[in-house]
Amino acid sequence: MTQRRGELLLSTALLILSGWIFYSSSGLQGGAGRFPQVAAALIGISSVMTLFRNFLKPASDTEKPFTGVVWGRLLVVVAAFLAALVLLKPIGFPIVSFLLFVICASAADSAAFSRRALLTNSLAGLFFVTLLTACFVVFLRVTLPMGILPL
């Protein structure tokens, strides 16, 4: 299977999943009840964008075949998610989410542990966690575990 075909299959599956999540969460009321719908809409939009990108780019005879999963990276991501579940309450949502973002972004990139990539992932993680925390606390009025942060 080529990388293009894999992207098409995954994007189609995510588009179907986002539709199902959006439909299933349509009965939830206000505040935090809207979060699954917003997340589903964002997943759907990114899936459609990936589908369009793949349909618009010309097929290439020299396209690299999909080489499979890099199991070490997958193990790092799974371990990071399990650690995040355990550490969420004692350390707090912002710190755990930041570390989880940086670890997952670094595991996805082959040059992730260079100084430049680590700085980029850290800045993106800081932006993402700040935005996510603000969305939960300000717009959805959800109380998050802040752990060791004096907020």
Side-chain angles (χ1 to χ4, degrees), residues 7-69:
E7 285 182 2
L8 288 171
L9 290 172
L10 181 61
S11 296
T12 303
L14 286 174
L15 186 60
I16 292 168
L17 177 66
S18 70
W20 178 76
I21 292 171
F22 192 88
Y23 176 76
S24 297
S25 62
S26 62
L28 300 175
Q29 297 297 319
R34 294 288 172 228
F35 180 74
Q37 287 185 315
V38 171
L42 292 174
I43 291 169
I45 290 168
S46 65
S47 298
V48 168
M49 289 171 55
T50 303
L51 285 169
F52 278 136
R53 186 188 71 214
N54 276 293
F55 282 123
L56 293 178
K57 90 176 159 184
S60 170
D61 294 335
T62 61
E63 187 174 335
K64 296 178 184 176
F66 179 68
T67 56
V69 176

Side-chain angles (χ1 to χ4, degrees), residues 90-133:
I91 293 180
F93 178 82
I95 295 173
V96 169
S97 297
F98 170 76
L99 292 173
L100 183 63
F101 181 91
V102 171
I103 290 169
C104 290
S106 297
D109 187 5
S110 60
F113 295 107
S114 69
R115 185 172 288 164
R116 183 179 182 149
L118 199 55
L119 178 63
T120 303
N121 291 340
S122 296
L123 290 174
L126 185 62
F127 174 76
F128 171 73
V129 168
T130 302
L131 183 67
L132 190 63
T133 302

